[in-house]
Amino acid sequence: MKQEYIGQKIIHLSRKIDRIVGRNISQYGLTNIQGRIISFVYRESPKRDIFQKDIEERFNIRGSSVTSVLNLMESRGILRRACAAEDGRCKKILLMDKGNELYDVVYKELIDMENLLSSALTKEEEGILKELLDKLSKKIDD
């Protein structure tokens, strides 16, 4: 009998989700990581300044990769980098109008995916799944 691994199943589902969301936002000229960055900056920037380091840490991506993605997004008018008030050497990341508009597209795709996933489960099953995923995540952090 073939052994099934928890991590493998989680990765497989995650890749399916990424593929579908990525395909849907690609019609707007966005990649998955660009969509995630837009969403992250949109949600977090009202609370605090967002810097490249925050993106590197949040998505576990090397600095050079983040620089490339941010350069492309900046050249397309999605975001801009501005000097931080406390330290002019640090560049905070701000969404431009185009980035805010694209957030609406990304958010809709994420909500559509969330609804699709939720529709396969009862409310009780959804709660249990979330608890189990949190438990696994905490175990990895320990």
Side-chain angles (χ1 to χ4, degrees):
M1 184 167 108
K2 180 182 167 189
Q3 184 171 358
E4 294 184 329
Y5 295 98
I6 296 169
Q8 190 174 38
K9 286 191 163 290
I10 292 170
I11 290 167
H12 184 71
L13 178 60
S14 177
R15 287 185 178 152
K16 278 184 174 183
I17 293 168
D18 276 353
R19 207 171 11 258
I20 292 168
V21 171
R23 181 180 63 228
N24 293 342
I25 67 172
S26 70
Q27 64 187 312
Y28 301 96
L30 293 175
T31 64
N32 272 338
I33 192 61
Q34 290 171 340
R36 288 186 190 142
I37 290 171
I38 289 169
S39 183
F40 177 69
V41 173
Y42 184 92
R43 285 182 286 106
E44 292 298 317
S45 60
K47 303 172 201 168
R48 63 188 174 100
D49 287 343
I50 303 298
F51 300 97
Q52 178 170 330
K53 196 75 170 160
D54 297 314
I55 293 169
E56 292 169 16
E57 290 170 2
R58 170 67 174 88
F59 298 108
N60 195 25
I61 305 172
R62 286 188 318 267
S64 58
S65 297
V66 174
T67 297
S68 296
V69 172
L70 293 178
N71 285 343
L72 179 60
M73 293 173 76
E74 194 168 26
S75 73
R76 293 186 53 217
I78 296 171
L79 57 80
R80 70 183 177 91
R81 290 176 267 204
C83 293
E86 331 57 70
D87 185 350
R89 297 170 296 170
C90 292
K91 305 287 186 201
K92 61 184 176 178
I93 298 166
L94 305 166
L95 288 181
M96 305 287 286
D97 289 341
K98 184 175 181 179
N100 288 317
E101 292 167 13
L102 287 169
Y103 170 78
D104 293 336
V105 170
V106 171
Y107 181 75
K108 181 197 175 305
E109 291 302 328
L110 294 176
I111 291 301
D112 288 350
M113 178 54 69
E114 186 67 22
N115 290 336
L116 177 66
L117 295 170
S118 294
S119 72
L121 304 170
T122 66
K123 289 293 179 197
E124 183 181 357
E125 289 170 330
E126 187 177 336
I128 291 168
L129 177 60
K130 288 176 182 177
E131 284 177 23
L132 292 172
L133 291 172
D134 287 345
K135 186 176 184 178
L136 292 173
S137 184
K138 184 179 180 331
K139 182 65 175 177
I140 290 172
D141 289 343
D142 289 347

